Amino acid sequence: QVQVVESGGGSVQAGGSLRLSCAASGSIRSINAMGWYRQAPGNQRDLVAIITSGGSTNYADSVKGRFTISRDNAKNTVYLQMASLKAEDTAVYYCNVQGSRRFGIQFDSWGQGTQVTVSS
């Protein structure tokens, strides 16, 4: 009953930039953390960046200084601005949203993923 939809993926050359967006909708009472994860073929799904409701952020070491996560609480939306992209950033990027619904029921929802391909 919580929908998470990503957008903004695509193909770019190394050194380029992309911006991903993720919007959560449905029966949401409050959102705690919103994060981006990625999974390359044959690899596990790893955290890229996460942001709390208070604005605290955490990044994977591999993207620090290149990626920036931000959120618009009024729109239940999180963004991932990616710069200086490398071939190794190629993966399917997934958005994760954690929060609570009516009556305090917790939810942990994933989007369907968006492909990011960086060519060298």
Side-chain angles (χ1 to χ4, degrees), residues 22-34:
C22 167
S25 62
S27 57
I28 297 171
R29 175 182 175 186
S30 65
I31 292 178
N32 300 326
M34 304 183 81

Side-chain angles (χ1 to χ4, degrees), residues 60-107:
D61 288 342
S62 60
V63 306
K64 285 180 180 177
R66 300 188 298 121
F67 291 10
T68 302
I69 190 170
S70 61
R71 63 188 281 176
D72 184 333
N73 290 331
K75 297 181 179 179
N76 290 339
T77 298
V78 63
Y79 306 96
L80 186 68
Q81 180 66 49
M82 304 184 292
S84 302
L85 283 161
K86 305 175 182 180
E88 50 263 44
D89 294 318
T90 296
V92 177
Y93 284 69
Y94 295 91
C95 178
N96 176 259
V97 180
Q98 300 175 16
S100 63
R101 294 161 48 196
R102 192 177 179 186
F103 304 121
I105 298 173
Q106 302 296 303
F107 69 86

